[in-house]
Amino acid sequence: METKVGIHIQSSFSKYNGDPVAISNHRKEAINSSKKSDNFAWKSLGGTFDLSGIYSGDMLRQMEEFRKNLQQDGIQHIEVKRFAEDDYLGKAEMAYDFFNQDLHDISEGFSKKLKEFGVPEDITFEFDYDLDNGKAVLTNISDEKYRDSVQEILDKSMSPDWVANASRIVNGYMSSIYYANISKALERCFGQDISELYIDEKGNIGGVNKNLQMALAAEKSIANFDAKKMYDFPVNQIEAMLKRLITDENITPNISHMGYDGNGIYTNDGDIQFGKEIDPSLWEDNGFLRRMEYGYIPVSPEHYDFWLNNEDMFY
């Protein structure tokens, strides 16, 4: 699925000309001055959202480890500001700021590792980050003699899960991200392999095991059906979501393309690249604002169902 947006953005911090250090300093000043205000909810990254029932146990452990690494490395946590429900611009700007700061923090640690391994600072390379297994694979490098060293650094560096996931979402791969998440949830909640599902000649879902069949029947027969409470499944409209995903011919592997250009790490999943400037006109594009917001906040049942019923609002 190709995104239909332009190239190059600038955030609301455009007056700092994309300088991540200046942006970071500006943010710290804003955080310190705003902590006194009742308009803010100050919590550490990941502390605001309940992820149970949305991600598998392994993913939850990985995310918890990610947060511990942040604390151990002394990295400034991004704080969560309260916004009005319809303030999509404010939420999108905060998300964009977070992702670029996240990459800046990761890049700083990565640059230190390059020096430790004796890799030239002007090295450039590209790599694929697999969100399903948390592995980064080097795909291209400007000097082959440093390939093994750079791959080793990638293996040991902080995983860019948050920004990689968001990069795919803002570039139009929402259904691919959701396919991966729902696939894990199906296996966890019902023991169902999503690859076995299909649409039969009558338009019904075929290949359904007994557990999922019972859930689909309950969805149709129970008033005020609640998949989260009954099955710990993250989507209330189970049948509709499964039909949407298993018929999508544009589902792609859950991989984010990234690179390093000497200045830092950046994403390369489409026209919108974190770590780079993007088209300022995107801040007037409601679809872009929605995708940016959904990229920042871990997916909740409400998000899945809202996207399913209002997908056109994201493009």
Side-chain angles (χ1 to χ4, degrees):
M1 181 185 298
E2 294 185 359
T3 180
K4 299 177 182 177
V5 292
I7 49 178
H8 299 306
I9 323 189
Q10 245 175 346
S11 77
S12 57
F13 296 96
S14 58
K15 62 182 178 181
Y16 299 100
N17 297 318
D19 181 354
V21 176
I23 291 174
S24 178
N25 291 336
H26 171 75
R27 174 188 299 99
K28 289 175 183 177
E29 292 175 5
I31 287 175
N32 290 333
S33 63
S34 300
K35 282 183 178 179
K36 301 175 183 178
S37 170
D38 291 335
N39 294 326
F40 290 79
W42 299 104
K43 295 186 179 181
S44 298
L45 173 62
T48 306
F49 308 101
D50 178 12
L51 304 182
S52 62
I54 299 173
Y55 295 107
S56 67
D58 288 340
M59 286 194 70
L60 285 170
R61 283 190 290 274
Q62 290 173 13
M63 294 171 80
E64 180 59 29
E65 185 64 27
F66 175 66
R67 287 193 289 271
K68 289 179 180 178
N69 288 338
L70 282 176
Q71 294 169 346
Q72 291 170 359
D73 293 342
I75 292 175
Q76 174 68 46
H77 286 190
I78 301 301
E79 308 293 347
V80 180
K81 178 181 177 181
R82 288 198 186 119
F83 292 95
E85 186 65 28
D86 60 350
D87 185 7
Y88 306 116
L89 176 60
K91 289 184 280 190
E93 286 179 335
M94 182 188 70
Y96 180 67
D97 182 34
F98 162 75
F99 294 130
N100 279 297
Q101 179 64 32
D102 189 34
L103 278 181
H104 173 63
D105 293 339
I106 294 173
S107 294
E108 280 194 331
F110 196 88
S111 295
K112 292 178 182 178
K113 288 292 184 182
L114 289 176
K115 292 180 181 179
E116 291 177 11
F117 278 70
V119 179
E121 293 182 9
D122 61 351
I123 193 99
T124 62
F125 57 86
E126 297 173 349
F127 62 98
D128 287 344
Y129 183 74
D130 191 327
L131 282 153
D132 289 336
N133 60 31
K135 301 294 184 181
V137 178
L138 192 62
T139 57
N140 187 35
I141 190 168
S142 59
D143 192 332
E144 285 292 331
K145 72 179 180 180
Y146 296 106
R147 175 177 285 274
D148 290 344
S149 294
V150 171
Q151 182 61 64
E152 184 176 352
I153 296 172
L154 286 172
D155 292 341
K156 296 179 178 179
S157 297
M158 185 184 298
S159 300
D161 296 273
W162 296 95
V163 73
N165 182 82
S167 176
R168 302 249 310 144
I169 287 179
V170 298
N171 280 289
Y173 298 98
M174 289 189 73
S175 62
S176 295
I177 291 290
Y178 288 3
Y179 183 94
N181 293 347
I182 297 303
S183 175
K184 294 182 178 71
L186 276 176
E187 185 66 41
R188 173 175 54 83
C189 298
F190 306 115
Q192 175 71 59
D193 185 341
I194 195 171
S195 66
E196 297 176 352
L197 302 180
Y198 61 90
I199 304 299
D200 63 22
E201 63 278 1
K202 295 182 179 180
N204 298 317
I205 301 177
V208 179
N209 68 17
K210 183 178 180 180
N211 292 333
L212 180 56
Q213 188 175 39
M214 293 175 63
L216 292 174
E219 180 184 350
K220 293 179 179 179
S221 61
I222 298 176
N224 300 318
F225 175 77
D226 191 324
K228 173 66 176 175
K229 290 182 179 179
M230 293 181 66
Y231 305 106
D232 199 25
F233 193 71
V235 182
N236 213 42
Q237 301 172 78
I238 302 177
E239 181 176 10
M241 178 61 84
L242 293 180
K243 286 184 176 180
R244 166 65 183 84
L245 295 178
I246 64 179
T247 58
D248 190 338
E249 297 180 355
N250 295 311
I251 296 292
T252 58
N254 208 15
I255 293 172
S256 176
H257 305 293
M258 310 183 84
Y260 182 84
D261 60 5
N263 296 315
I265 294 173
Y266 61 91
T267 64
N268 194 26
D269 294 308
D271 294 340
I272 301 168
Q273 296 177 283
F274 296 119
K276 304 281 188 177
E277 291 185 354
I278 57 177
D279 185 351
S281 67
L282 284 175
W283 297 105
E284 301 176 0
D285 182 328
N286 288 330
F288 163 75
L289 298 181
R290 291 271 187 171
R291 296 196 307 277
M292 184 67 75
E293 177 199 358
Y294 271 48
Y296 174 72
I297 301 174
V299 177
S300 70
E302 292 78 13
H303 281 142
Y304 281 122
D305 288 311
F306 184 86
W307 171 80
L308 182 62
N309 295 325
N310 304 278
E311 189 173 353
D312 58 326
M313 297 176 67
F314 291 84
Y315 296 96

